[in-house]
Structure formats: C-alpha cells, structure tokens
Amino acid sequence: MNVIHNAFLEEFRFPIEPITVTNSVRLRIAIEKEKGVLICGAYLCYNLANRWDIEYVLNMEYESEDNEYCYYTCNIGSDEVKTVYYYFSIEYTKEENGVKCNKKGIVEKDGDIHSSSFNQAFLSSTQSDISKWELLFYDDTRLASVTAPDIYYSIFPDRFYRSEKYVPELSQEPLRLVHENWKELPVYLPDQNGIIQNNDFFLGNLQGVIEKMDYLDSLSVTIIYMNPIFYAKSNHRYDTLDYLRIDPFLGNESDFYELCKVAHSHGKKVIIDFVPNHVSSSSFYAKKYSRGTCWWGIKDLEEINLEAEEVVDFFLNKVIPKWLDDVNTMDGFERADGIRCDVADEYPLSFILKLFSKVKSISKDKLIIFEVWEHASNKYVYGGLRNYFEGNLCDSVMNYELKNAILSFVCDQNAKFFENVCRSQIQTYPKEARNNMMNIADTHDSIRLITAIGNKPYVQKGDFRNPAILAEDRKWQVENMFMSSYDYRAAVTKLKLFAIIQYTVFGNPVIYYGTEVGMEGYLDPTNRRCHIFENGDEDLLDFYKALGKFRTEAIYLASAKMRFLSVDDGVVVYERYTDEKSLIIAVNVSNVTRKIEAFDGYEIVFGVNLTSMSESLSPNSAILLEKNK
C-alpha cells in the first residue's frame, strides 16, 4: 500500500513555508486503494522540538477519493512559537488467508538531502527512529525588513586596501611584523617553535575602505561586512584584546564613524564581526572571565563565560551600544547597521536571547547574522535541537549549506542536491530569514571560489594543531595555489555560472574581497592575500559589475518567491516571481547543448556564454529571461 505526503507540494502541505503564530497549516495524505484493505483511521502524530517524551495525536478527517486514492486532511495551528516534528499513522484491516487482520502503519519521511525522493513519504510498520517532517511557527514582529535586494562585500581588513591618509605608530606594536611590499605572500610557515603567530601585517585600514567606496559602488554593493576590527594580537583579530578600541593598525574611533557615515551616504550598510565567545589569552577578559577551555584547543584563544552576569552586562551595555547605537545617543556619530556573530552556535541560549533583545531594542532593522555552517533550523547543540529562526535569536545566517549545493551542481552536475537544498530551506526557513541570508561563495575560512572550482582538490593532511603537519599542509597550498591559464579560463566559466545562481536565488550574494577579480587561494593564509586591484581579471570584474547592476535594478528579487520548473543532471530551470514580475533562470553546467522549454513573451535580460537562444542552451551557459505579468 502506497501513501503519499510530498511536503514540497501545496497539494499535501499548505502553506509549504514556515508560518507566523496564530495561523495554521493544512496537511494531507493520499492512501492508495488496495483490494481487501479497509482504512479505519488516519492520524497526525507530532512532538515539539526537544520535548520528545510527549507525543500529540490529531485525528485526520476523510476528505475525498478517486479511482486510486483516498484522501485525509487535518489542520494544525499554534498561538505560540514552536518547532513541530510530525509523521502520520494509519489503522486498517487487511484480509490475509481469508482472515481480517488489524494493522497499523507508520508514514514517515523518505530519503535524504541527496535523494530524488527527499521529503516524500514511505510506509513502515516500526516506530523506531521515525524520520519526521519539520514545521515551524515563528514570531516575525522583531525581524529586520527587506525592501531591496542586497549585495554583500566581505572584507578582511588588513588585506583589502592601505590608505596613506592613516599612518599607524609602528613602534607601539613591537611584536607585530609589517610587510613593506603589498604583493608579498603572508607568512605561512610555523616559526622555530612550531607556532603560527599570525602576527604579520600589511596595514590595510579603515580609510582604505573609505577610499574604495566608488569601487564598491561599481559592484552595486549595498552591505559592507568586515572581519574583526577591534584591537587584537593577530592579523585576523579573532583574538580580541579590547572590544572598546579599534585596532590601531586599522585606524581609530573617528575613522570607524567616518566609514559608517560615508557608507551610508553611498546607500550602504556596515556589518561588523562580533566575537564574544573567545578572546586572546593575554587579554584582561581571559584572566577574569575564562571558562578554563581553549577554543578548538588553540592555546591563544581562551573561551570566556557568556553566562556570567558581569560578562553579559559588558557586551550588552558597553560593546553593543558603542558600535551599533546611533539611535539613542546624542553624539551625532553614525554607527554600524548590524553584527555578524562568529561561531554563534557555541553561545549559550540565554546569551543569544539577551543579545537579540538588546540589538532589537536599538532598532528592529539592526541586523543579526549568525555563523552556522549546517542547516540552521535544526542544529544539534548543547544537547538538543536549536532552531535559529523562531524569531527571537537572529535575523538570518551565513548560507554554507547553499554554497556547497551550488558548488556541487556547477562542478559535478548534481542538480537534485541543489534543488533539495533550496526547497528544504524554503520549507524550513521563514521568508524573512531567506531574504536576509548571506549567500556566501567563499570566506576567510574557506577555499577561494575559483580555486575550489578549477584547481587540485585540497585535502587537509591531519590535525592543523600539529606543527609538522601544518607546515607540510601550508607548503603544499602555496606551491599548488595557481592554475595554468587554460585551467583558469575554464574555471572562470564555471565561476560565472555559480555567480548567476548566487545572485538569483533567495537571499543575498556575498563577494569575498578579490573573488570579483579572480584571486586564487586555498585556506589560511593563501585565501587572505592582499587584494590585487591593479592586476586582477578585468573581464571577470566587468561581469560582476553587470550582474550586480541587473540584480539591484530587479527590485522584486528582494521578496520574490521561487519554484523549480525543470531539474535534470547538469541543467536547472527555476523561476523567481511576484504578482507583477517573472524571472526565469536557466543554467546548463554540462558540456553538451541541452534543450529547454520555450518561454513565450519573455525578454533576455542577462546571459553567460550564449552562442544562440531558441529552445536550447549552450554548454556551460546560463540565461535570464524576464517579463511583466
């Protein structure tokens, strides 16, 4: 007996997406008719997240039937925020050897994120390890609104641009090494003691970001995100020494306020990295507030107690207001528009709740973006599932999951994985979270995009905390960092297809500094080299400028819905649409020409590697088609 509940289809779950509290969802199953089988009852069974000992059961009503199936439905609603995990059970009698037997079946979710049957149903007779569907009721009242499509530009401050307008006092920092040549490689080998000090600096600064504002304009950037800018020991500055002081190699407080003011005058927001979880072991905070543990075993990254009242008070009433609150202060300085929270899934829930409330007390539209590498609606942490989208923890997350799916499609033609990830996020991430998503391609923590697409696969050789392994690992990365010109051009073609998807799915694309000019690199520090403004790939830069211009002019992309029209190995066609507009995106990552449906009445608005356009798509090409409804 076949039972259908495809939670991606509105026929079986309406609405498909998470919904706000006080609303309800209609769930439906179709039970295949079978000779000698009589359905006695159908039930919705569910638990609330982390309350697995209590199971709720709702009776489903008989709705209708056709020649093949009987249909049962029920509605489930909530007047409070909660994440529900559900499955179905059916009771029936079946004739076996002339005897009617009472039976019970469990209808659970089938497949995984890579499966063609993902999020559909299968019938079993066991209740052990039931695979359940997820359903969210959330609070949207304090989430940041989205009025236009954004484009992020991610800056590693020491390596973006050095302005001569700011000259730091080098003698005050005797333990820091300074590169005179902007084009040099960062120090990448351990010192004589086997330690990576991360204490070499190129003196990129905040004035440098200001001077490159027109450059960011040319890319249609609307949000500048910077890795940590507070005083720290290292060049990456994730080992804070003073949260209330701009690092003197970057500038001073006035430079920060000027950066925010200039960015705002150019229609841009500024997001700063907030790193409360760990500090430098040399800092005052480590000496007073340490948990007695080091982050990932790294000796100079001391974890501090985020449940201590004094620590919470410091972050919420001193750090956050100083850099974010331009609403309740009288000094006239413009401040940052939000925070990106480093390793946010390692914070205790009590701290996250207070942090969210504090930031939103300044302004509902001050953004809180979390670093979460996995699917963020059901991350297992602190002994339970945490859903970051219930409306009281953050606005959205960095979308590593989608990045991996796009990369898998572009490089390996895995269209089904890409489709499943998108549809899964539509189903479990509220529209506010999707619209505020940071859709990364590469970061300071990951392999640069063009290298991930076109170069030798990188495999870490062991524990990076072992000096010998680390030295061998980094030496290999430096020696193998650059591709041949042939491989580079092939990789650029694929990179453009990645960008087309990154710029047209829900959420907001993120350019990691230098990706737009084809910078290559594996992991730290080859992915953190200085920006090559004068020596970059001008053709690729022009592509990013044109794509950015299209995106920002397509205002409807800020809130458009998304649906897949065709999915095949190597080819996807999907639509972003509103009541007034429709945009068709067709991408062929295979090496052969592929037929696609003709879309009458649509105008070509953007293309990559197109040789002709009728009802076919050239190898490694993409096309964007738009029309007014």
Side-chain angles (χ1 to χ4, degrees):
M1 177 171 43
N2 185 32
V3 181
I4 301 175
H5 176 73
N6 188 335
F8 284 150
L9 300 179
E10 290 185 345
E11 177 185 355
F12 294 99
R13 173 166 158 169
F14 183 81
I16 295 170
E17 305 175 340
I19 64 169
T20 55
V21 292
T22 73
N23 290 305
S24 64
V25 177
R26 182 178 67 88
L27 300 174
R28 188 173 189 242
I29 58 173
I31 306 174
E32 186 179 27
K33 292 181 177 179
E34 186 177 316
K35 186 177 180 180
V37 173
L38 175 66
I39 304 300
C40 302
Y43 308 93
L44 171 70
C45 309
Y46 68 92
N47 304 91
L48 305 183
N50 301 315
R51 292 164 60 180
W52 312 112
D53 56 325
I54 303 174
E55 182 171 88
Y56 301 88
V57 179
L58 291 180
N59 185 56
M60 301 185 74
E61 299 290 336
Y62 168 82
E63 179 195 69
S64 61
E65 62 184 272
D66 54 29
N67 291 334
E68 295 183 79
Y69 292 95
C70 296
Y71 299 92
Y72 289 78
T73 64
C74 70
N75 293 314
I76 178 172
S78 177
D79 57 2
E80 63 179 2
V81 170
K82 64 185 180 184
T83 304
V84 170
Y85 288 88
Y86 70 89
Y87 68 99
F88 305 94
S89 68
I90 57 174
E91 294 177 351
Y92 59 96
T93 61
K94 184 174 184 179
E95 191 171 303
E96 296 179 350
N97 298 321
V99 179
K100 286 187 176 180
C101 302
N102 295 324
K103 298 280 188 177
K104 185 174 182 179
I106 302 300
V107 183
E108 54 184 308
K109 187 171 76 170
D110 190 18
D112 60 22
I113 202 74
H114 298 276
S115 168
S116 60
S117 63
F118 176 65
N119 224 37
Q120 298 181 38
F122 77 97
L123 185 67
S124 69
S125 59
T126 176
Q127 280 196 295
S128 61
D129 298 321
I130 297 172
S131 181
K132 302 174 183 178
W133 289 273
E134 181 182 318
L135 173 62
L136 171 63
F137 297 90
Y138 71 100
D139 179 5
D140 65 337
T141 57
R142 293 190 291 173
L143 299 176
S145 56
V146 178
T147 57
D150 284 312
I151 298 174
Y152 279 80
Y153 194 85
S154 174
I155 291 174
F156 194 81
D158 184 60
R159 314 286 163 81
F160 178 61
Y161 190 68
R162 180 172 62 204
S163 168
E164 301 302 326
K165 289 183 179 179
Y166 178 78
V167 180
E169 179 55 65
L170 302 182
S171 62
Q172 294 182 6
E173 302 291 342
L175 298 180
R176 292 182 170 189
L177 307 176
V178 176
H179 294 266
E180 293 186 9
N181 186 350
W182 185 256
K183 297 179 182 180
E184 287 179 353
L185 274 176
V187 174
Y188 63 91
L189 291 176
D191 63 15
Q192 63 271 23
N193 298 315
I195 298 173
I196 296 288
Q197 295 287 355
N198 290 312
N199 66 339
D200 61 317
F201 291 77
F202 286 85
L203 301 184
N205 53 38
L206 298 184
Q207 284 294 331
V209 180
I210 294 172
E211 288 187 19
K212 287 296 182 181
M213 203 62 68
D214 289 343
Y215 176 81
L216 300 179
D217 285 345
S218 73
L219 291 164
S220 301
V221 168
T222 59
I223 300 180
I224 299 169
Y225 157 60
M226 294 184 291
N227 293 114
I229 59 174
F230 304 137
Y231 186 38
K233 284 186 66 177
S234 70
N235 50 46
H236 58 69
R237 298 187 173 93
Y238 283 92
D239 51 350
T240 311
L241 289 168
D242 189 347
Y243 288 97
L244 301 177
R245 181 186 178 193
I246 300 295
D247 192 291
F249 272 20
L250 289 176
N252 54 41
E253 206 165 303
S254 296
D255 295 315
F256 171 75
Y257 294 140
E258 182 186 358
L259 170 58
C260 292
K261 182 177 181 179
V262 173
H264 294 160
S265 72
H266 282 248
K268 298 175 182 18
K269 295 178 181 179
V270 175
I271 304 294
I272 58 175
D273 222 326
F274 181 54
V275 190
N277 183 69
H278 48 265
V279 298
S280 169
S281 60
S282 304
S283 69
F284 159 81
Y285 315 110
K287 293 177 175 62
K288 191 170 183 181
Y289 304 122
S290 174
R291 293 172 52 191
T293 55
C294 295
W295 187 77
W296 283 60
I298 301 172
K299 290 182 179 179
D300 197 41
L301 291 179
E302 194 93 14
E303 293 184 306
I304 60 174
N305 183 5
L306 292 179
E307 294 178 298
E309 185 176 340
E310 193 173 354
V311 174
V312 175
D313 177 71
F314 170 72
F315 281 125
L316 300 193
N317 296 318
K318 290 187 173 62
V319 178
I320 292 297
K322 183 174 180 65
W323 307 114
L324 259 65
D325 194 349
D326 47 15
V327 176
N328 301 308
T329 54
M330 304 298 291
D331 55 22
F333 293 130
E334 297 183 34
R335 290 169 165 80
D337 303 279
I339 52 176
R340 174 268 192 189
C341 296
D342 183 61
V343 296
D345 50 7
E346 298 183 22
Y347 308 167
L349 184 60
S350 60
F351 179 77
I352 296 176
L353 291 166
K354 292 172 184 175
L355 174 65
F356 183 87
S357 293
K358 179 63 180 182
V359 172
K360 294 302 179 179
S361 72
I362 299 171
S363 170
K364 172 184 173 181
D365 289 322
K366 293 285 184 180
L367 277 169
I368 307 175
I369 306 294
F370 278 4
E371 180 191 23
V372 179
W373 286 53
E374 298 80 17
H375 192 82
S377 70
N378 55 10
K379 176 68 187 289
Y380 190 81
V381 61
Y382 280 85
L385 289 181
R386 183 178 290 177
N387 190 333
Y388 288 99
F389 302 130
E390 292 185 343
N392 57 357
L393 301 183
C394 67
D395 287 300
S396 199
V397 298
M398 301 177 73
N399 205 344
Y400 281 91
E401 184 182 45
L402 182 59
K403 166 213 163 182
N404 294 335
I406 301 174
L407 202 59
S408 179
F409 171 59
V410 169
C411 295
D412 303 320
Q413 303 186 27
N414 194 341
K416 178 54 66 174
F417 179 41
F418 168 62
E419 179 195 22
N420 283 348
V421 167
C422 289
R423 296 179 78 173
S424 176
Q425 291 192 358
I426 291 169
Q427 183 186 78
T428 58
Y429 291 12
K431 64 180 184 297
E432 293 85 356
R434 297 197 308 274
N435 293 340
N436 275 309
M437 201 80 69
M438 281 183 71
N439 287 339
I440 57 171
D442 42 5
T443 73
H444 71 287
D445 281 330
S446 65
I447 296 172
R448 279 197 173 272
L449 177 59
I450 199 164
T451 300
I453 290 172
N455 213 343
K456 298 176 184 178
Y458 166 75
V459 179
Q460 188 170 307
K461 296 171 178 60
D463 190 340
F464 65 89
R465 289 162 292 193
N466 181 314
I469 291 175
L470 183 60
E472 178 188 358
D473 192 275
R474 288 189 163 199
K475 186 172 182 291
W476 184 94
Q477 292 183 60
V478 168
E479 291 174 349
N480 292 276
M481 178 170 45
F482 296 111
M483 288 175 262
S484 69
S485 59
Y486 176 84
D487 289 339
Y488 175 84
R489 296 317 313 172
V492 166
T493 298
K494 292 286 192 180
L495 182 150
K496 289 179 178 180
L497 300 180
F498 185 108
I500 286 288
I501 298 172
Q502 185 193 19
Y503 272 61
T504 56
V505 295
F506 50 79
N508 304 303
V510 183
I511 305 171
Y512 180 52
Y513 81 102
T515 294
E516 77 280 8
V517 291
M519 285 185 66
E520 300 171 71
Y522 284 101
L523 296 178
D524 172 25
T526 61
N527 62 353
R528 303 178 187 180
R529 293 182 297 122
C530 295
H531 198 299
I532 53 172
F533 287 105
E534 294 79 17
N535 302 300
D537 186 331
E538 290 294 329
D539 173 74
L540 185 57
L541 179 61
D542 288 342
F543 164 80
Y544 270 99
K545 289 178 178 178
L547 186 56
K549 183 175 185 292
F550 163 76
R551 176 177 168 81
T552 52
E553 290 177 351
I555 301 296
Y556 61 91
L557 287 177
S559 57
K561 294 182 179 180
M562 177 177 173
R563 62 185 167 209
F564 284 86
L565 305 179
S566 176
V567 177
D568 193 4
D569 286 345
V571 178
V572 294
V573 182
Y574 57 93
E575 181 185 15
R576 299 294 309 283
Y577 63 97
T578 66
D579 291 339
E580 294 80 29
K581 285 278 193 178
S582 172
L583 178 70
I584 303 293
I585 302 96
V587 184
N588 176 15
V589 300
S590 74
N591 294 317
V592 296
T593 298
R594 302 292 291 272
K595 287 188 175 182
I596 62 171
E597 179 183 342
F599 296 100
D600 297 331
Y602 282 81
E603 176 187 357
I604 299 175
V605 291
F606 204 91
V608 174
N609 196 29
L610 294 175
T611 55
S612 65
M613 181 61 202
S614 53
E615 295 181 15
S616 62
L617 203 55
S618 311
N620 287 303
S621 67
I623 191 167
L624 274 58
L625 304 155
E626 186 181 63
K627 79 169 183 178
N628 296 319
K629 289 186 176 179

